[in-house]
Amino acid sequence: MLTRRHIRVKVMQCIYALIQSKDDSLEKQKKFLDVSIEDMYSLYLLLLSLWIEIHQMAENQLNLSSKKYLANASDNLPFKERFVANKVLQQLVNNSQLKEELELRKLNNWYLNEEYVKLIYKDILESDMYLKYMHTSENSYEKDKELILGLFKEIIAPNDKIYDYFEDDKLTWVDDIPIVNTYLLKHFKKVKENSNESFFLPNLVKDDEDMQYAQKLLTKTLLTNDVLEKEIEGKTPNWDKDRIAGIDSILLKMAICELLNFPSIPEKVTINEYLEIAKEYSTPKSSIFINGILDKLTKEYKETGKLNKMGRGLL
């Protein structure tokens, strides 16, 4: 789920937070990094649990409608139980491993903020894809999955109120939401009728090496800050260091640190990754500025033998 680029973003956020708080505690930042990465998985679980709450709301409404004497719009649906019986939703609702993980992390956000569930559920009931689904006699796992994918893509993922709620809950989730949404869509596309419960609980990172990479990048960048600053100053003689954008300075230090301390990552991968991050998080001209400095430094490091790369790159 968590890519190397997103790990770099997480490290950048940690360093930025340290500068803003003027707290030079390395252990505190390492802990912040671990928590920030782990919180991303909680966000993923919350989006899955949102489906469980939506299903519960639909089931409650179905039970109430069966006991009412007065009809409403939903009573005109030919297959009133179809959404509640959706096989993909059933896989989530009956997933004991998922329930255990939600309880372990105490993720009861939707119980405490039911208004968001009602908001999404209302949008679902009014959507054309839901109404079409509820009027279609064809009953298959693929049709059930198609509905869940469509509703997530068109209603849940772009919902501004849900986005604002996540942003208010945890600031780091602002950058995580697009990553998690994209991953969830891809993951739902792969689900099968016979998928086991663990399918919905993937690993947050590919392996321990990714977590080691994250901690090493953060630690090395912070501990060699003065050396990295001199490297940048040497390539920007006409620039006062205070004139370099804060994010640009952080990204440059991280990139230089990676060039010098991670021999298995090709320099082209490092440079391209930080240029892409700069385009998204800094000024319009930042990527050009950063590219110019890194290009000079890479050539210099190759000439002096400081750039020691080996093996296949870890993307």
Side-chain angles (χ1 to χ4, degrees):
M1 180 190 296
L2 193 63
T3 66
R4 281 290 177 99
R5 180 177 298 175
H6 204 64
I7 288 174
R8 291 177 176 98
V9 170
K10 291 286 185 188
V11 173
M12 177 194 76
Q13 290 171 341
C14 284
I15 297 173
Y16 182 79
L18 180 147
I19 293 170
Q20 294 300 308
S21 65
K22 295 180 173 58
D23 186 343
D24 59 357
S25 170
L26 177 58
E27 288 305 312
K28 192 175 290 186
Q29 292 311 312
K30 287 168 71 176
K31 185 177 179 180
F32 178 83
L33 177 61
D34 285 341
V35 170
S36 178
I37 289 174
E38 195 61 35
D39 280 343
M40 185 178 176
Y41 199 67
S42 293
L43 176 61
Y44 165 79
L45 293 172
L46 277 175
L47 285 167
L48 285 185
S49 70
L50 178 58
W51 282 113
I52 296 174
E53 295 300 323
I54 290 169
H55 180 272
Q56 183 64 55
M57 198 163 282
E59 192 170 49
N60 291 342
Q61 187 182 63
L62 182 65
N63 291 335
L64 285 172
S65 66
S66 66
K67 299 175 183 177
K68 287 192 309 183
Y69 293 101
L70 297 176
N72 59 25
S74 65
D75 294 324
N76 296 322
L77 296 172
F79 310 103
K80 289 185 287 184
E81 296 182 1
R82 188 161 183 205
F83 184 72
V84 171
N86 182 287
K87 295 181 181 68
V88 179
L89 285 181
Q90 288 292 329
Q91 284 177 300
L92 294 174
V93 171
N94 298 317
N95 192 317
S96 59
Q97 290 184 24
L98 176 58
K99 286 180 181 177
E100 286 176 13
E101 193 64 30
L102 290 168
E103 289 174 6
L104 182 67
R105 293 169 180 259
K106 299 179 181 179
L107 295 175
N108 58 348
N109 299 49
W110 306 123
Y111 175 78
L112 300 172
N113 297 277
E114 192 182 37
E115 66 273 18
Y116 293 102
V117 183
K118 290 179 178 177
L119 181 76
I120 294 294
Y121 183 54
K122 180 176 181 292
D123 287 346
I124 287 174
L125 295 181
E126 294 173 353
S127 68
D128 290 338
M129 69 180 79
Y130 171 82
L131 293 173
K132 182 180 177 181
Y133 172 81
M134 297 297 281
H135 281 86
T136 302
S137 58
E138 182 186 347
N139 186 13
S140 69
Y141 185 83
E142 286 306 311
K143 283 292 179 183
D144 287 355
K145 183 165 75 170
E146 183 182 312
L147 176 75
I148 299 305
L149 283 167
L151 292 177
F152 185 78
K153 187 176 181 180
E154 301 297 329
I155 293 177
I156 295 178
N159 188 280
D160 288 338
K161 285 187 169 55
I162 292 291
Y163 183 93
D164 290 342
Y165 166 71
F166 284 139
E167 183 180 8
D168 290 341
D169 197 319
K170 283 184 173 48
L171 188 59
T172 56
W173 277 352
V174 174
D175 297 306
D176 295 339
I177 292 170
I179 302 290
V180 174
N181 282 344
T182 301
Y183 177 82
L184 238 171
L185 274 174
K186 290 180 179 178
H187 207 54
F188 268 130
K189 286 178 183 178
K190 295 176 184 176
V191 69
K192 300 185 186 313
E193 194 164 5
N194 62 352
S195 294
N196 56 35
E197 290 190 349
S198 62
F199 174 85
F200 291 100
L201 295 168
N203 293 327
L204 175 60
V205 293
K206 186 172 61 177
D207 49 41
D208 291 340
E209 202 169 66
D210 277 345
M211 289 303 294
Q212 292 167 9
Y213 163 79
Q215 289 291 350
K216 182 178 177 181
L217 180 61
L218 174 66
T219 303
K220 285 281 187 182
T221 303
L222 291 176
L223 292 180
T224 60
N225 179 69
D226 293 343
V227 174
L228 296 172
E229 275 197 357
K230 289 178 181 177
E231 292 286 315
I232 297 169
E233 289 172 9
K235 295 295 172 287
T236 54
N238 299 321
W239 283 75
D240 186 311
K241 67 178 181 180
D242 293 332
R243 291 179 60 196
I244 301 176
I247 294 296
D248 290 359
S249 177
I250 293 170
L251 291 178
L252 276 168
K253 291 173 186 176
M254 288 172 61
I256 296 167
C257 176
E258 190 169 302
L259 285 170
L260 297 175
N261 295 285
F262 294 83
S264 61
I265 304 178
E267 66 269 17
K268 286 184 179 179
V269 171
T270 294
I271 293 171
N272 288 338
E273 287 291 288
Y274 285 101
L275 292 183
E276 289 303 313
I277 295 172
K279 288 176 185 177
E280 186 173 353
Y281 290 92
S282 198
T283 67
K285 294 182 179 179
S286 291
S287 61
I288 299 172
F289 174 69
I290 290 173
N291 186 49
I293 295 173
L294 294 180
D295 184 57
K296 290 178 184 177
L297 284 170
T298 303
K299 290 175 181 175
E300 180 185 299
Y301 293 157
K302 284 181 178 178
E303 291 173 0
T304 58
K306 289 178 72 175
L307 198 65
N308 184 23
K309 298 293 181 180
M310 64 183 75
R312 297 178 60 189
L314 299 174
L315 306 185

